[in-house]
Amino acid sequence: MILKHSKQRDAIKGFLMTRKDHPTADVVYSHVRKEFPNISLGTVYRNLTLLSDIGEILRIRVGDGIDHFDATVEPHYHFVCTKCNGVSDLNLDSLNQINEFADASFDGHIAGHVTYFYGTCPDCTKKTLS
Amino acid sequence: MILKHSKQRDAIKGFLMTRKDHPTADVVYSHVRKEFPNISLGTVYRNLTLLSDIGEILRIRVGDGIDHFDATVEPHYHFVCTKCNGVSDLNLDSLNQINEFADASFDGHIAGHVTYFYGTCPDCTKKTLS
DNA sequence: ATTTATATCAGTAATGATTTCTAATATTAT
DNA sequence: ATAATATTAGAAATCATTACTGATATAAAT
C-alpha cells in the first residue's frame, strides 16, 4: 500500500523526535492533541504502528505491559528506573557476543537478543542521597 | 494476609511444574479445568499472580504481549522461537558481568537486566532442513 | 483546475488479556 | 461444632490496543 502524506503522522513523528524518554501512545496522544485537538487515539496508534512497521521508529516493551516508542532506530539498549518507572537510553556497545555464547550450548539457532537493564536512574539516585 | 490451602492453587502449581514450555494463563486454565471443571479463569490469574508474588513461580514477558509462567524460579534465560512462538529455557551461565559493563558508562545505578534470546528452536530448525 | 482513486482521518465499537467485585464456599484455628 | 476469614466461581470492569465506518485529505490523472 502506497503511503500518502499526513500532517498527523508528521506531528506524531516530530513529537517523538523531540523526546528521549520513550513515551507511550497515551503521552504522544495528549501532546499531539495540542496541535490537532480532534486527533483520535486510534490515529495515534495506527501511525505509531505504521511508523514502526516501516522502521522509522521503534516499539519498545520493557515489562510494564505498555508499549513505549522511540524515534532512535539505531540499535541501543534501554534502562528502566524501578523508582520512577522512566525509560532512558544507555550508551553501550552491542553485546552481540552473548548470542554466540548462548548459541554454543543450544541445539537451535540464536538470531539475536532483547535486553533491558533496570535499577535507579541518575535523578532518583540523587534524590535518594539528599 | 495469611495463606490458606487451596486445591485449585495446588493444581495450578502442579500443572506448571510438569511443563517446560512456560504456558500462558489460558493454557493453564484449559488444563486445570480437566480436574476442576468449574474453575474460573479469574482464579487461575489470581493464583498465578499470588504464586509469582510469593516467589514460587516466575511471570515471564517475552514481547508477545501475553504473560507466560514458569515453575523454575532459579535465575535462567529464555529463548523464543520466531517460527513457532514457543518459549523454552536456555542452559546458560549468568551474564551478570554485563551489568557492570553497562554501569561503567551510566550515571545511575544498574541493579540487573532482563534478557531473552530469539531465533529458531531445535524442532523448527530440523523441519527447515527436511 | 477538475476529476478520480484511495490513503487517512475522527469517532466509535470491538477485542483480548488481565483484574476486580460479590455472594457463596472451603479451610484453619478455636 | 463454631467462628473467622481466605478462597472460590461467575460475572463485570478495566486497560491497552485494534478494527470498523462513513467522511475527508492527498496525490495523480485528466
Side-chain angles (χ1 to χ4, degrees):
Chain A
M1 199 196 298
I2 293 160
L3 279 193
K4 265 178 190 169
H5 185 247
S6 137
K7 292 165 185 167
Q8 289 89 339
R9 185 154 59 237
D10 283 352
I12 289 164
K13 173 102 185 272
F15 170 69
L16 258 192
M17 289 195 299
T18 70
R19 301 274 294 219
K20 292 185 173 175
D21 64 344
H22 314 79
T24 61
D26 218 60
V27 172
V28 174
Y29 175 56
S30 65
H31 279 82
V32 174
R33 216 135 79 107
K34 292 169 187 166
E35 190 181 350
F36 293 89
N38 291 327
I39 198 170
S40 76
L41 186 55
T43 295
V44 172
Y45 269 106
R46 184 166 19 79
N47 279 296
L48 287 172
T49 300
L50 172 59
L51 288 167
S52 65
D53 283 350
I54 64 178
E56 291 199 23
I57 66 173
L58 288 183
R59 181 186 292 251
I60 301 165
R61 291 182 164 150
V62 286
D64 62 357
I66 310 172
D67 291 354
H68 295 249
F69 297 88
D70 186 350
T72 303
V73 293
E74 288 76 39
H76 61 284
Y77 292 96
H78 292 108
F79 173 83
V80 182
C81 180
T82 52
K83 300 211 169 179
C84 67
N85 296 314
V87 183
S88 53
D89 287 330
L90 283 176
N91 198 341
L92 196 64
D93 285 340
S94 156
L95 299 168
N96 282 337
Q97 69 272 12
I98 71 176
N99 294 344
E100 286 125 56
F101 187 55
D103 211 39
S105 57
F106 183 59
D107 206 21
H109 171 64
I110 289 182
H113 66 271
V114 174
T115 294
Y116 62 86
F117 295 84
Y118 57 88
T120 318
C121 73
D123 276 2
C124 289
T125 301
K126 281 173 205 154
K127 283 174 193 160
T128 302
L129 296 175
S130 61
Chain B
M1 198 197 299
I2 293 158
L3 279 192
K4 264 179 190 171
H5 187 246
S6 138
K7 292 166 185 167
Q8 289 90 336
R9 185 154 59 235
D10 283 353
I12 290 165
K13 171 102 185 271
F15 169 71
L16 215 50
M17 290 195 298
T18 70
R19 302 274 295 221
K20 291 185 174 174
D21 64 345
H22 315 78
T24 61
D26 218 60
V27 172
V28 174
Y29 175 57
S30 66
H31 279 84
V32 174
R33 217 135 78 108
K34 292 170 186 165
E35 191 182 349
F36 294 89
N38 291 328
I39 198 171
S40 76
L41 187 54
T43 296
V44 172
Y45 269 106
R46 183 167 18 79
N47 279 296
L48 288 171
T49 299
L50 172 60
L51 288 167
S52 65
D53 282 351
I54 64 178
E56 291 200 22
I57 67 173
L58 288 183
R59 180 186 292 248
I60 300 165
R61 292 181 164 154
V62 286
D64 62 356
I66 310 171
D67 291 355
H68 295 250
F69 297 89
D70 186 349
T72 303
V73 293
E74 288 76 38
H76 61 286
Y77 292 96
H78 293 107
F79 174 83
V80 182
C81 180
T82 51
K83 300 210 170 181
C84 69
N85 296 314
V87 182
S88 53
D89 288 330
L90 283 177
N91 198 341
L92 196 65
D93 284 341
S94 157
L95 299 169
N96 282 337
Q97 68 273 13
I98 70 176
N99 293 344
E100 286 125 54
F101 187 54
D103 211 39
S105 57
F106 182 60
D107 206 23
H109 170 64
I110 288 183
H113 66 271
V114 174
T115 293
Y116 63 86
F117 294 84
Y118 58 87
T120 318
C121 73
D123 277 1
C124 288
T125 301
K126 280 173 205 155
K127 283 173 193 162
T128 302
L129 297 173
S130 61

